[in-house]
Amino acid sequence: MTELGRKAMSWALSTDSLLVYPVTSNETYKTKSRRNKSITVRKCRLVIRIGNAEHKGKEQYKQDMEMTNKIEEIYIHYYNKRSKWELNTKNN
């Protein structure tokens, strides 16, 4: 995770502004476990909770760095959005 990603996640969780979490779907994929055995794992959809509103994503992600990177991307997106809004209100 990047420094900006950590900063964005820290902001979101400390202010209760945003929460992104995975929910398993019915679609599965095969992968290797740590003991090199073949296992079946469910893919996940991401849910974004902003205030009382929950938005469930349509895209499905494998439970690996693909999902981790997407979660970080979402936190950074909303963090940057917040930063622009704060700059605009300070200038007015």
Side-chain angles (χ1 to χ4, degrees), residues 45-78:
R45 286 193 165 102
L46 297 178
V47 177
I48 303 170
R49 189 171 74 205
I50 305 170
N52 292 331
E54 286 191 354
H55 306 280
K56 191 171 185 179
K58 295 176 184 174
E59 195 72 31
Q60 296 184 27
Y61 300 96
K62 292 181 177 182
Q63 296 185 40
D64 58 7
M65 286 307 292
E66 175 187 16
M67 184 174 68
T68 303
N69 291 338
K70 189 61 180 180
I71 291 172
E72 180 181 17
E73 182 183 322
I74 292 168
Y75 277 116
I76 290 171
H77 170 78
Y78 282 98

Side-chain angles (χ1 to χ4, degrees), residues 15-64:
T15 60
D16 287 332
S17 303
L18 171 71
L19 181 64
V20 182
Y21 59 93
V23 177
T24 58
S25 66
N26 291 332
E27 192 172 325
T28 61
Y29 65 97
K30 296 259 187 211
T31 189
K32 297 279 185 181
S33 71
R34 291 183 182 167
R35 296 184 179 165
N36 211 22
K37 290 186 177 183
S38 182
I39 58 172
T40 302
V41 182
R42 289 179 181 249
K43 286 189 174 184
C44 292
R45 286 193 165 102
L46 297 178
V47 177
I48 303 170
R49 189 171 74 205
I50 305 170
N52 292 331
E54 286 191 354
H55 306 280
K56 191 171 185 179
K58 295 176 184 174
E59 195 72 31
Q60 296 184 27
Y61 300 96
K62 292 181 177 182
Q63 296 185 40
D64 58 7

Side-chain angles (χ1 to χ4, degrees), residues 1-13 18 68-84:
M1 184 173 276
T2 65
E3 183 64 32
L4 180 59
R6 282 191 288 275
K7 192 174 184 179
M9 187 178 278
S10 176
W11 162 79
L13 298 176
L18 171 71
T68 303
N69 291 338
K70 189 61 180 180
I71 291 172
E72 180 181 17
E73 182 183 322
I74 292 168
Y75 277 116
I76 290 171
H77 170 78
Y78 282 98
Y79 180 75
N80 288 337
K81 216 171 164 181
R82 176 221 46 111
S83 298
K84 289 176 188 174

